[in-house]
Amino acid sequence: MHGSLDRDTPVELLEEVDRELQFRRARAQIYVIGSAAMSLAYARERTTADIDARVEKGHSALLEAVRTVGRRRGLPDSWLNEQAPTAIPRTKDGSPRTLYASEHLTVTGASPRHLLAMKLQAGRTKDEQDIAVLVAELGLASPAEAIAVHDELFPDEPLDRAKRELVERVFGNP
């Protein structure tokens, strides 16, 4: 993608997609994860290269609208990234947050538990602040509690040493 999306741009893009769906008299629903979910759900001042999402309903109409909006804005079709769902836990997210809702487009974001598990699974240093926000949101008091959330949602993929150290840093432990 050319550049990155600031906090306001994903909202603008989703509003444009909504208008395109309305024009087509279609409905769609997406489930957003990653940095875009953090930005939309927690007003995090950060940028993201794309919007990582799983299309829940209205796949073909949504992709047509995404392409139209992307071309209008000079963005590649991949600004809505459907490759991310490989990083989503297999356990259904029982409490996703509604981030945008209209008659034609509904956008839900991963719950704090699912976002935390995915951020820990990725284990990227750049996600440390996001992890801290999610830990606070969930009221977790120790690294063990955060790791337990991860292990519940990714039971076959234990955190390696570097990822465990990331969790320790978030809680202020060296």
PDB file of all heavy atoms in Angstrom, residues 9 23 47 50 53 66 83 92 95 97 102 117 127-128 135 137 151-152:
ATOM      1  N   THR A   9      -8.649   7.776   8.453  1.00  0.00           N
ATOM      2  CA  THR A   9      -8.807   7.236   7.110  1.00  0.00           C
ATOM      3  C   THR A   9      -9.619   5.942   7.070  1.00  0.00           C
ATOM      4  O   THR A   9     -10.504   5.820   6.207  1.00  0.00           O
ATOM      5  CB  THR A   9      -7.441   7.063   6.426  1.00  0.00           C
ATOM      6  OG1 THR A   9      -6.769   8.324   6.433  1.00  0.00           O
ATOM      7  CG2 THR A   9      -7.593   6.580   4.995  1.00  0.00           C
ATOM      8  N   PHE A  23     -25.628   2.253  -2.836  1.00  0.00           N
ATOM      9  CA  PHE A  23     -25.861   2.450  -4.266  1.00  0.00           C
ATOM     10  C   PHE A  23     -26.207   1.123  -4.949  1.00  0.00           C
ATOM     11  O   PHE A  23     -27.070   1.068  -5.815  1.00  0.00           O
ATOM     12  CB  PHE A  23     -24.627   3.090  -4.912  1.00  0.00           C
ATOM     13  CG  PHE A  23     -24.726   3.253  -6.390  1.00  0.00           C
ATOM     14  CD1 PHE A  23     -25.515   4.255  -6.944  1.00  0.00           C
ATOM     15  CD2 PHE A  23     -24.029   2.401  -7.236  1.00  0.00           C
ATOM     16  CE1 PHE A  23     -25.608   4.400  -8.313  1.00  0.00           C
ATOM     17  CE2 PHE A  23     -24.117   2.545  -8.613  1.00  0.00           C
ATOM     18  CZ  PHE A  23     -24.914   3.547  -9.152  1.00  0.00           C
ATOM     19  N   THR A  47      -1.012   4.369  13.014  1.00  0.00           N
ATOM     20  CA  THR A  47      -1.308   4.135  11.611  1.00  0.00           C
ATOM     21  C   THR A  47      -1.284   2.643  11.344  1.00  0.00           C
ATOM     22  O   THR A  47      -0.760   1.860  12.129  1.00  0.00           O
ATOM     23  CB  THR A  47      -0.273   4.841  10.710  1.00  0.00           C
ATOM     24  OG1 THR A  47       1.026   4.326  11.015  1.00  0.00           O
ATOM     25  CG2 THR A  47      -0.307   6.348  10.920  1.00  0.00           C
ATOM     26  N   ASP A  50      -3.179  -1.347   6.339  1.00  0.00           N
ATOM     27  CA  ASP A  50      -4.419  -1.801   5.722  1.00  0.00           C
ATOM     28  C   ASP A  50      -5.428  -2.109   6.823  1.00  0.00           C
ATOM     29  O   ASP A  50      -5.146  -1.942   8.006  1.00  0.00           O
ATOM     30  CB  ASP A  50      -4.171  -3.042   4.861  1.00  0.00           C
ATOM     31  CG  ASP A  50      -3.456  -4.161   5.622  1.00  0.00           C
ATOM     32  OD1 ASP A  50      -3.437  -4.137   6.872  1.00  0.00           O
ATOM     33  OD2 ASP A  50      -2.907  -5.062   4.975  1.00  0.00           O
ATOM     34  N   ALA A  53      -9.318  -7.864   7.869  1.00  0.00           N
ATOM     35  CA  ALA A  53     -10.707  -8.207   8.131  1.00  0.00           C
ATOM     36  C   ALA A  53     -11.086  -9.556   7.545  1.00  0.00           C
ATOM     37  O   ALA A  53     -10.480 -10.031   6.582  1.00  0.00           O
ATOM     38  CB  ALA A  53     -11.619  -7.137   7.541  1.00  0.00           C
ATOM     39  N   VAL A  66     -15.184  -2.218  -2.247  1.00  0.00           N
ATOM     40  CA  VAL A  66     -13.805  -1.976  -1.817  1.00  0.00           C
ATOM     41  C   VAL A  66     -12.932  -1.599  -3.013  1.00  0.00           C
ATOM     42  O   VAL A  66     -12.145  -0.655  -2.941  1.00  0.00           O
ATOM     43  CB  VAL A  66     -13.242  -3.213  -1.072  1.00  0.00           C
ATOM     44  CG1 VAL A  66     -11.729  -3.147  -0.944  1.00  0.00           C
ATOM     45  CG2 VAL A  66     -13.895  -3.341   0.299  1.00  0.00           C
ATOM     46  N   GLN A  83      -6.330 -11.599   3.985  1.00  0.00           N
ATOM     47  CA  GLN A  83      -5.344 -12.624   4.324  1.00  0.00           C
ATOM     48  C   GLN A  83      -5.179 -12.777   5.831  1.00  0.00           C
ATOM     49  O   GLN A  83      -4.670 -13.770   6.313  1.00  0.00           O
ATOM     50  CB  GLN A  83      -3.992 -12.293   3.686  1.00  0.00           C
ATOM     51  CG  GLN A  83      -4.042 -12.148   2.184  1.00  0.00           C
ATOM     52  CD  GLN A  83      -4.655 -13.351   1.496  1.00  0.00           C
ATOM     53  OE1 GLN A  83      -4.276 -14.474   1.774  1.00  0.00           O
ATOM     54  NE2 GLN A  83      -5.621 -13.118   0.622  1.00  0.00           N
ATOM     55  N   LYS A  92     -14.808 -19.111  18.281  1.00  0.00           N
ATOM     56  CA  LYS A  92     -15.646 -17.975  17.901  1.00  0.00           C
ATOM     57  C   LYS A  92     -15.529 -16.868  18.946  1.00  0.00           C
ATOM     58  O   LYS A  92     -15.498 -17.114  20.140  1.00  0.00           O
ATOM     59  CB  LYS A  92     -17.097 -18.427  17.781  1.00  0.00           C
ATOM     60  CG  LYS A  92     -18.039 -17.326  17.338  1.00  0.00           C
ATOM     61  CD  LYS A  92     -19.407 -17.884  17.054  1.00  0.00           C
ATOM     62  CE  LYS A  92     -20.463 -16.850  16.759  1.00  0.00           C
ATOM     63  NZ  LYS A  92     -20.126 -15.761  15.913  1.00  0.00           N
ATOM     64  N   SER A  95     -17.859 -11.964  21.920  1.00  0.00           N
ATOM     65  CA  SER A  95     -18.225 -10.584  22.253  1.00  0.00           C
ATOM     66  C   SER A  95     -17.489  -9.551  21.406  1.00  0.00           C
ATOM     67  O   SER A  95     -16.805  -8.672  21.933  1.00  0.00           O
ATOM     68  CB  SER A  95     -17.991 -10.321  23.739  1.00  0.00           C
ATOM     69  OG  SER A  95     -16.671 -10.678  24.095  1.00  0.00           O
ATOM     70  N   ARG A  97     -16.994  -6.198  19.211  1.00  0.00           N
ATOM     71  CA  ARG A  97     -17.541  -4.855  19.407  1.00  0.00           C
ATOM     72  C   ARG A  97     -18.017  -4.293  18.075  1.00  0.00           C
ATOM     73  O   ARG A  97     -17.333  -4.430  17.062  1.00  0.00           O
ATOM     74  CB  ARG A  97     -16.469  -3.938  19.973  1.00  0.00           C
ATOM     75  CG  ARG A  97     -16.053  -4.349  21.356  1.00  0.00           C
ATOM     76  CD  ARG A  97     -15.068  -3.378  21.921  1.00  0.00           C
ATOM     77  NE  ARG A  97     -14.836  -3.727  23.318  1.00  0.00           N
ATOM     78  CZ  ARG A  97     -14.219  -2.946  24.170  1.00  0.00           C
ATOM     79  NH1 ARG A  97     -13.757  -1.785  23.781  1.00  0.00           N
ATOM     80  NH2 ARG A  97     -14.044  -3.314  25.408  1.00  0.00           N
ATOM     81  N   SER A 102     -24.533   0.594   9.874  1.00  0.00           N
ATOM     82  CA  SER A 102     -25.506   1.323   9.073  1.00  0.00           C
ATOM     83  C   SER A 102     -26.434   0.271   8.474  1.00  0.00           C
ATOM     84  O   SER A 102     -26.266  -0.923   8.723  1.00  0.00           O
ATOM     85  CB  SER A 102     -24.812   2.122   7.968  1.00  0.00           C
ATOM     86  OG  SER A 102     -24.367   1.239   6.952  1.00  0.00           O
ATOM     87  N   ALA A 117      -4.959 -12.020  22.457  1.00  0.00           N
ATOM     88  CA  ALA A 117      -4.391 -13.314  22.050  1.00  0.00           C
ATOM     89  C   ALA A 117      -3.672 -13.191  20.712  1.00  0.00           C
ATOM     90  O   ALA A 117      -2.565 -13.721  20.534  1.00  0.00           O
ATOM     91  CB  ALA A 117      -5.483 -14.377  21.981  1.00  0.00           C
ATOM     92  N   ASP A 127       3.756  -3.878  18.885  1.00  0.00           N
ATOM     93  CA  ASP A 127       2.425  -4.041  19.463  1.00  0.00           C
ATOM     94  C   ASP A 127       2.408  -3.905  20.983  1.00  0.00           C
ATOM     95  O   ASP A 127       1.368  -4.082  21.611  1.00  0.00           O
ATOM     96  CB  ASP A 127       1.842  -5.406  19.081  1.00  0.00           C
ATOM     97  CG  ASP A 127       1.478  -5.503  17.610  1.00  0.00           C
ATOM     98  OD1 ASP A 127       1.142  -4.467  17.015  1.00  0.00           O
ATOM     99  OD2 ASP A 127       1.528  -6.620  17.069  1.00  0.00           O
ATOM    100  N   GLU A 128       3.541  -3.573  21.578  1.00  0.00           N
ATOM    101  CA  GLU A 128       3.640  -3.532  23.034  1.00  0.00           C
ATOM    102  C   GLU A 128       2.614  -2.583  23.660  1.00  0.00           C
ATOM    103  O   GLU A 128       1.962  -2.933  24.650  1.00  0.00           O
ATOM    104  CB  GLU A 128       5.057  -3.144  23.453  1.00  0.00           C
ATOM    105  CG  GLU A 128       5.358  -3.442  24.895  1.00  0.00           C
ATOM    106  CD  GLU A 128       6.844  -3.336  25.217  1.00  0.00           C
ATOM    107  OE1 GLU A 128       7.693  -3.682  24.363  1.00  0.00           O
ATOM    108  OE2 GLU A 128       7.147  -2.899  26.330  1.00  0.00           O
ATOM    109  N   VAL A 135      -4.483  -5.306  28.079  1.00  0.00           N
ATOM    110  CA  VAL A 135      -4.301  -5.840  29.432  1.00  0.00           C
ATOM    111  C   VAL A 135      -5.085  -4.988  30.429  1.00  0.00           C
ATOM    112  O   VAL A 135      -5.801  -5.515  31.296  1.00  0.00           O
ATOM    113  CB  VAL A 135      -2.796  -5.907  29.790  1.00  0.00           C
ATOM    114  CG1 VAL A 135      -2.575  -6.001  31.285  1.00  0.00           C
ATOM    115  CG2 VAL A 135      -2.142  -7.077  29.066  1.00  0.00           C
ATOM    116  N   GLU A 137      -7.652  -2.985  29.728  1.00  0.00           N
ATOM    117  CA  GLU A 137      -9.078  -3.144  29.406  1.00  0.00           C
ATOM    118  C   GLU A 137      -9.648  -4.412  30.047  1.00  0.00           C
ATOM    119  O   GLU A 137     -10.778  -4.417  30.544  1.00  0.00           O
ATOM    120  CB  GLU A 137      -9.257  -3.194  27.882  1.00  0.00           C
ATOM    121  CG  GLU A 137     -10.658  -3.462  27.422  1.00  0.00           C
ATOM    122  CD  GLU A 137     -11.594  -2.265  27.544  1.00  0.00           C
ATOM    123  OE1 GLU A 137     -11.132  -1.125  27.711  1.00  0.00           O
ATOM    124  OE2 GLU A 137     -12.811  -2.490  27.460  1.00  0.00           O
ATOM    125  N   ASP A 151      -3.225 -18.726  25.638  1.00  0.00           N
ATOM    126  CA  ASP A 151      -3.225 -20.192  25.576  1.00  0.00           C
ATOM    127  C   ASP A 151      -4.629 -20.769  25.430  1.00  0.00           C
ATOM    128  O   ASP A 151      -4.806 -21.822  24.822  1.00  0.00           O
ATOM    129  CB  ASP A 151      -2.528 -20.771  26.805  1.00  0.00           C
ATOM    130  CG  ASP A 151      -1.031 -20.494  26.809  1.00  0.00           C
ATOM    131  OD1 ASP A 151      -0.494 -20.021  25.778  1.00  0.00           O
ATOM    132  OD2 ASP A 151      -0.394 -20.732  27.853  1.00  0.00           O
ATOM    133  N   GLU A 152      -5.617 -20.069  25.955  1.00  0.00           N
ATOM    134  CA  GLU A 152      -7.007 -20.511  25.796  1.00  0.00           C
ATOM    135  C   GLU A 152      -7.433 -20.425  24.325  1.00  0.00           C
ATOM    136  O   GLU A 152      -8.126 -21.293  23.819  1.00  0.00           O
ATOM    137  CB  GLU A 152      -7.922 -19.646  26.660  1.00  0.00           C
ATOM    138  CG  GLU A 152      -9.395 -19.944  26.485  1.00  0.00           C
ATOM    139  CD  GLU A 152     -10.281 -18.932  27.186  1.00  0.00           C
ATOM    140  OE1 GLU A 152      -9.860 -18.358  28.218  1.00  0.00           O
ATOM    141  OE2 GLU A 152     -11.398 -18.693  26.685  1.00  0.00           O
TER     142      GLU A 152
END
